[in-house]
Amino acid sequence: MATSPLPDPDNAPGGEGMSDEELAQLLEGHEQRAVGYFDSEIAKEQAKAIEYYYGNVNDVPVLDGCSSAVDHTVAITVDNGLASVLKPFVSAEEVVAFDPVGEEDVEMAEQATEYVNHVIHKDNSGFLILHNWFKDALLSKIGIVKVWWEDKTRTEVVPQVVDAMGLLAAREAEGYLDEEDNGDGTFTVRLEQVIPDGREKICGVPPEEFLISPHARSIEFGECPYAAHKPSNFTRSDLVGLGFDRDIVDALPSMASDEMGEARRRARYADQEWYSSTREAIGSDKSAETIAVLDEFVLCDYVGDGIAEMRRVLRVGATILFNEKADDNAFAILCPVPMPHKVIGRSLA
């Protein structure tokens, strides 16, 4: 049964909105029909491209008396193309530049340019993000990055020395913990303060972890009914760390072995044999078990007013962990050879 620990204020009482069960069924249907699902044709083509990149040309017939075919043409072509595409971004001082429309926009454009480049190169690993984004696209038809706000707000206990009047005010303050008389007419008060902090987080998404509706014509809002990220390295510990109830998290099923060993993942990690075992095999530490969490963005009429809206949902199977209205999905994509009216075109490989 689906369980949501976070009540949704958008679903007004007395409305005809979706139940958690109905939402979970809708999302499961989107998942299984999505482009990039583990047994889809595109998934098989992506797996073959990765195998060819590593020189594993297993589908070429072996002639009598000859060794198996090994051909690194795909790797050479992709890497040469990557160097050409990547160079302008990593050799320039600015990855992104904003041009002012009028004279009144000059200062704002300069600030935006400085801020975005700081986010890419200081708050995130800009070179690796661009490298992996472009290489995924050249090799696997599509490169994906995911962007979100990482909240790093923290609570600190701050001691303050105050006089008698300040002590009265401190006692009424939110976060007051205790006090100590210093014996000289002053008092040391301990206050718990919330320190707001956070950053824009950018990371690459492996193509085998990305799902998108076959009806999508682009990733833009309104043209993409469904897009999702299904990470292969998300554990029970990660979910508890996000604030979800431990009892709910412990009851979730771990990721199935066939999902851990799908074709693209086998091709990517064949030299490590990583795909052959799940996190459960490491030991008895249940917190390290991998969970098949889906971070999904779907257009649907959740509140029952007849108008589809974007929802962001964290789901494991039929269990809804989180559900809120979203302004847009969290993804940006690249395709090296776009095809009209399709999100995934062709690759250089």
Side-chain angles (χ1 to χ4, degrees), residues 55-75:
N56 300 324
V57 193
N58 299 321
D59 54 350
V60 176
V62 179
L63 300 176
D64 292 339
C66 298
S67 61
S68 301
V70 177
D71 189 333
H72 290 285
T73 302
V74 171

Side-chain angles (χ1 to χ4, degrees), residues 184 336 341:
D184 58 358
H341 320 303

Side-chain angles (χ1 to χ4, degrees), residues 8-86:
D8 188 349
D10 295 326
N11 197 2
E16 297 181 358
M18 291 183 184
S19 66
D20 280 357
E21 289 79 3
E22 291 170 331
L23 179 60
Q25 290 173 4
L26 173 70
L27 292 169
E28 186 174 357
H30 274 296
E31 176 194 357
Q32 294 178 359
R33 288 191 297 269
V35 177
Y37 195 59
F38 71 90
D39 63 349
S40 67
E41 185 63 30
I42 285 180
K44 296 173 184 176
E45 293 173 356
Q46 289 172 329
K48 181 177 289 188
I50 296 172
E51 290 177 347
Y52 277 21
Y53 182 88
Y54 283 118
N56 300 324
V57 193
N58 299 321
D59 54 350
V60 176
V62 179
L63 300 176
D64 292 339
C66 298
S67 61
S68 301
V70 177
D71 189 333
H72 290 285
T73 302
V74 171
I76 294 170
T77 304
V78 168
D79 288 342
N80 287 344
L82 175 64
S84 300
V85 173
L86 191 58

